[in-house]
């Protein structure tokens, strides 16, 4: 299933994605940010699980399965640009702000901001069409 979604996401002109596919793509984006500093901790995995459980009201087994599938998808995704373009096209601005908040939670999970995480989050923020001030406010909301 994720290979078909990945193929659709990386097309030059991705087609709009369904809710279940958007859930997988957004979770894979959380994984990508968590892995960006080359330290993918159990705390980050637990936080991704918590975010997806809260956001999608999934059972613990479904959350675990979603993260496992998202990890595989993230590893197979060639770049962030085309990957996020499909999300931007499929998700309303307000919901993308929620995605940015979730991404900041993952970045801040270990109590420090690695330069790789900051750089990727700046790129993703831009690619998702989120303004820098909105991203900064999202970071402030989750760091309290």
């Amino acid at each position: 299933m994720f290979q078909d979604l990945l193929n659709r996401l990386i097309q030059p002109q991705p087609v709009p994605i369904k809710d279940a596919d958007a859930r997988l793509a957004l979770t894979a984006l959380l994984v990508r940010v968590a892995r960006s500093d080359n330290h993918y901790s159990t705390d980050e995995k637990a936080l991704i699980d918590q975010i997806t459980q809260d956001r999608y009201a999934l059972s613990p087994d479904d959350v675990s399965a979603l993260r496992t599938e998202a990890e595989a998808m993230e590893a197979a995704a060639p770049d962030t640009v085309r990957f996020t373009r499909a999300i931007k096209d499929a998700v309303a601005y307000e919901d993308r702000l929620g995605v940015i908040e979730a991404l900041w939670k993952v970045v801040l999970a270990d109590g420090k901001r690695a330069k790789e995480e900051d750089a990727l989050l700046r790129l993703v923020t831009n690619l998702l069409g989120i303004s820098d001030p909105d991203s900064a406010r999202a970071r402030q909301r989750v760091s309290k």
Side-chain angles (χ1 to χ4, degrees), residues 45-140:
K45 292 176 186 179
L47 182 57
I48 290 169
D49 288 352
Q50 185 64 53
I51 289 167
T52 55
Q53 185 171 16
D54 291 348
R55 188 173 186 96
Y56 304 118
L58 300 173
S59 71
D61 288 341
D62 289 342
V63 166
S64 180
L66 175 62
R67 182 177 39 81
T68 299
E69 195 172 4
E71 290 167 344
M73 182 178 180
E74 184 281 328
D79 64 51
T80 305
V81 175
R82 289 179 286 184
F83 191 60
T84 54
R85 185 178 344 145
I87 295 170
K88 180 182 175 189
D89 292 344
V91 179
Y93 189 84
E94 296 77 25
D95 293 332
R96 285 182 273 140
L97 281 174
V99 170
I100 295 299
E101 284 186 11
L103 293 170
W104 275 117
K105 284 180 185 178
V106 171
V107 166
L108 300 171
D110 59 5
K112 51 191 169 206
R113 289 171 51 185
K115 62 183 179 183
E116 299 89 353
E117 292 170 322
D118 271 349
L120 182 58
L121 199 52
R122 276 193 307 275
L123 173 67
V124 168
T125 296
N126 184 41
L127 294 172
L128 289 177
I130 302 297
S131 70
D132 288 336
D134 282 347
S135 177
R137 284 189 287 276
R139 183 188 72 244
Q140 291 168 350

